[in-house]
Amino acid sequence: MDKNNRGLSRRSMLAGTAAGVIAPVVVSASAGSSPAAAAGMTRDITVYADYVPGSTRVGYGLEPGKPTIPGPLLECYEGDTLVIELVNNTDQRLSIHPHGVNYDTKSDGSPFNDSFNKPYETKIYTWKTRTAYQAANGFWMPGSAGYWHYHDHAFGGDHGTVGLMKGLYGGLIVRKRGDLLPSKQFTVVFTEMWINHQIAPNTPIFEANLGERVEFICIGHGNLMHTFHLHAHRWADTRTGMLTSATDNAPILDNKTLDPGNSFGFQVIAGDGVGPGAWMYHCHVQQHSDDGMSGVFLVRNADGGMPAGAQAAIDRFKGHQHSTAKPDASGVSAHAHHS
């Protein structure tokens, strides 16, 4: 399996503050938030924007010359401040624009506010989060907790369209203290007819062991409406995908609309009630699925071994017929609308 498609083994920013470091912290499925995050912290992160070797695609990364698509998953707790040092290693202007957090106009990441990196320029963007608070009228204002995302807003134009089509995007999680932390995390981005800028059978194979707590972060970009469907696993339509009590009647889903600019996340227990195996995830707009918007969630045995029949299922998936809408070296397919 492609190592780049495997989930982060509970690697997050939640336990460290070193610049540019996503520190590993292993947390059991029943544990709460990290003690290091008991108070709001300022977390310094250096993010590099680089061309993907061998293509004209562009991505964000935590090391120079090593961009990924999607970019690194950034995490914090409500009350934390993220100070992003963005290093532009390209010959084009670009930026980083977040959803779901607070920032001033200097950190907007939009040419409208003259907020972007010139070619080869380094710039600081500051994102702040907050907890829920009671307003003067007695109502409560929401905090920042949620499954959000970030993306370019300046590459090739004033709205970031070209940057998104080239791969400048990533996931952002703001947690409430006490939230359960997963063992594995997977960022799934639907852009035009791609999943993480790939088309089946080259889409990511996400892997977890039976019984592991797995977190999916789903993001939509581009011009097309999609849905995200995960075979054999369900989640609650809540902030976390989990129920708060035995009497919580939140709707239970296995398919959810993923429009451009939207994002959501949830946690499941891998193989819970259904066992190990190769389970499909895909867009349930049927033409999109036919054209290559599908992938595999491989639930291995509890000991990490390959379940009976799983490899054969993956081989059949790789042999499925898909359309000829293949991305070129720039990451743009015949179905993509781009400038």
Side-chain angles (χ1 to χ4, degrees):
M1 302 302 165
D2 184 349
K3 293 181 180 179
N4 292 327
N5 292 335
R6 297 190 181 190
L8 301 176
S9 299
R10 206 29 251 153
R11 295 178 183 274
S12 75
M13 298 164 51
L14 302 181
T17 58
V21 173
I22 293 187
V25 52
V26 179
V27 183
S28 69
S30 61
S33 62
S34 165
M41 303 174 67
T42 297
R43 306 176 187 280
D44 300 301
I45 310 143
T46 300
V47 175
Y48 300 87
D50 286 285
Y51 287 106
V52 175
S55 76
T56 62
R57 287 175 288 172
V58 189
Y60 299 109
L62 294 177
E63 297 181 62
K66 297 183 178 180
T68 61
I69 300 177
L73 177 60
L74 306 182
E75 296 188 57
C76 67
Y77 285 99
E78 283 186 326
D80 289 352
T81 296
L82 300 183
V83 178
I84 310 294
E85 180 185 47
L86 178 62
V87 181
N88 181 5
N89 286 334
T90 80
D91 57 357
Q92 300 291 319
R93 73 175 191 181
L94 51 78
S95 69
I96 189 167
H97 167 76
H99 287 224
V101 296
N102 294 346
Y103 46 87
D104 61 22
T105 55
K106 294 179 181 179
S107 295
D108 182 35
S110 169
F112 170 82
N113 274 314
D114 197 29
S115 174
F116 57 85
N117 293 53
K118 297 176 182 178
Y120 306 109
E121 182 182 32
T122 296
K123 181 179 173 61
I124 299 295
Y125 298 79
T126 302
W127 306 342
K128 297 182 178 181
T129 68
R130 67 184 183 190
T131 58
Y133 66 94
Q134 192 167 19
N137 57 12
F139 290 93
W140 281 82
M141 296 297 291
S144 305
Y147 291 95
W148 307 104
H149 58 104
Y150 63 88
H151 58 86
D152 167 69
H153 218 297
F155 193 108
D158 289 336
H159 303 286
T161 303
V162 176
L164 285 170
M165 292 301 103
K166 286 183 174 290
L168 283 168
Y169 51 73
L172 170 64
I173 301 176
V174 182
R175 299 192 188 277
K176 289 182 180 289
R177 305 188 192 286
D179 281 353
L180 292 177
L181 302 180
S183 299
K184 294 284 183 70
Q185 296 169 287
F186 304 119
T187 303
V188 187
V189 183
F190 285 6
T191 309
E192 303 299 60
M193 303 303 292
W194 319 311
I195 299 175
N196 292 5
H197 255 63
Q198 299 293 330
I199 293 174
N202 299 315
T203 46
I205 295 179
F206 300 125
E207 298 187 26
N209 291 349
L210 181 66
E212 284 190 301
R213 180 173 291 276
V214 178
E215 185 169 60
F216 285 86
I217 302 92
C218 303
I219 302 166
H221 281 309
N223 300 284
L224 303 176
M225 183 277 285
H226 301 292
T227 67
F228 176 84
H229 173 48
L230 179 61
H231 283 204
H233 295 77
R234 293 160 299 284
W235 65 92
D237 195 15
T238 62
R239 179 180 63 84
T240 62
M242 293 179 285
L243 298 174
T244 58
S245 70
T247 57
D248 187 339
N249 292 318
I252 307 302
L253 309 177
D254 67 2
N255 187 76
K256 187 169 182 175
T257 300
L258 189 58
D259 289 329
N262 281 1
S263 57
F264 62 86
F266 59 90
Q267 295 182 10
V268 295
I269 305 301
D272 184 38
V274 295
W279 303 105
M280 187 178 288
Y281 67 89
H282 61 94
C283 177
H284 229 302
V285 178
Q286 290 304 119
Q287 186 62 57
H288 298 178
S289 185
D290 286 345
D291 282 352
M293 294 198 72
S294 61
V296 175
F297 175 37
L298 174 60
V299 179
R300 291 179 172 270
N301 297 328
D303 64 1
M306 182 68 83
Q311 187 58 60
I314 293 171
D315 292 342
R316 284 191 291 272
F317 168 78
K318 289 185 176 294
H320 277 185
Q321 292 296 315
H322 297 99
S323 82
T324 57
K326 303 298 182 183
D328 62 20
S330 67
V332 176
S333 79
H335 288 273
H337 301 277
H338 62 96
S339 58

